Amino acid sequence: MRVYVPLTLPALAQAHRAGELGPGPLTAYAVTPGLREWYVSDDIEELEYAALTRAAHGSLRLLAADPEAVRKRVVVAVDIADGAVHADPDRALDPDALGEVRLEAAVPLAKAAAVHVDADGAAADVAKAAEALARADGGDADAQFVVDGADDHELLWFATQEIEHLIAG
């Protein structure tokens, strides 16, 4: 199963040094039954993109909690056994938990298929979105508009061999 793990660049650097994403448990995103029902599509590529987008939002939350981190969303796509992924059936259709899954144990970075990171040009909008996130969560429509603006930036795809370059610069 392909899962998308939200990180920040400092967390990616830590994972690179440790050789694993973790320790567990980890929150990740995947194509879950709830995500399928919400997105209303049978196209697996569209569903995977929806899970990636949910993980990018998770990364934004991590950035909001770490004001020192570079203002770029980071998502690591990892292929793991279905049995290692657990979704909470009680939250399957909760809008805040769509696609959310739990990985109980650390995941070797060698299982990563790709890394998705914002381009440099997204940093200002991502910074504004991270700053506005708490207000958006509180129902502020203007703040939600700012948060949604980060989604206007597509995450770039990087091979896992490029992680060292990503964390260096």
Side-chain angles (χ1 to χ4, degrees):
M1 169 180 262
R2 171 79 39 107
V3 299
Y4 298 91
V5 181
L7 296 176
T8 61
L9 280 174
L12 180 62
Q14 172 60 32
H16 182 67
R17 284 190 298 275
E20 65 182 16
L21 298 166
L26 295 168
T27 298
Y29 296 83
V31 177
T32 62
L35 185 73
R36 282 180 189 276
E37 187 172 329
W38 170 75
Y39 199 76
V40 191
S41 175
D42 291 330
D43 184 328
I44 191 62
E45 288 184 17
E46 288 181 11
L47 291 165
E48 292 280 345
Y49 183 77
L52 171 64
T53 301
R54 298 290 298 153
H57 192 72
S59 177
L60 185 63
R61 290 196 172 286
L62 295 173
L63 288 171
D66 183 359
E68 300 300 316
V70 175
R71 302 334 247 175
K72 290 183 178 185
R73 298 167 298 166
V74 177
V75 176
V76 179
V78 182
D79 293 319
I80 61 173
D82 290 356
V85 178
H86 305 283
D88 183 348
D90 294 333
R91 295 190 70 205
L93 295 177
D94 178 345
D96 293 329
L98 288 170
E100 189 175 290
V101 295
R102 178 74 99 208
L103 309 177
E104 296 303 328
V107 178
L109 199 53
K111 291 188 179 238
V115 179
H116 302 270
V117 180
D118 275 311
D120 291 340
D125 287 340
V126 170
K128 290 175 189 172
E131 185 179 305
L133 191 58
R135 294 189 317 277
D137 287 346
D140 183 325
D142 291 334
Q144 186 62 54
F145 181 78
V146 173
V147 169
D148 291 344
D151 290 337
D152 291 341
H153 298 278
E154 296 286 330
L155 296 179
L156 302 177
W157 181 95
F158 294 92
T160 57
Q161 299 87 336
E162 297 177 273
I163 290 175
E164 200 165 319
H165 169 72
L166 291 168
I167 60 178

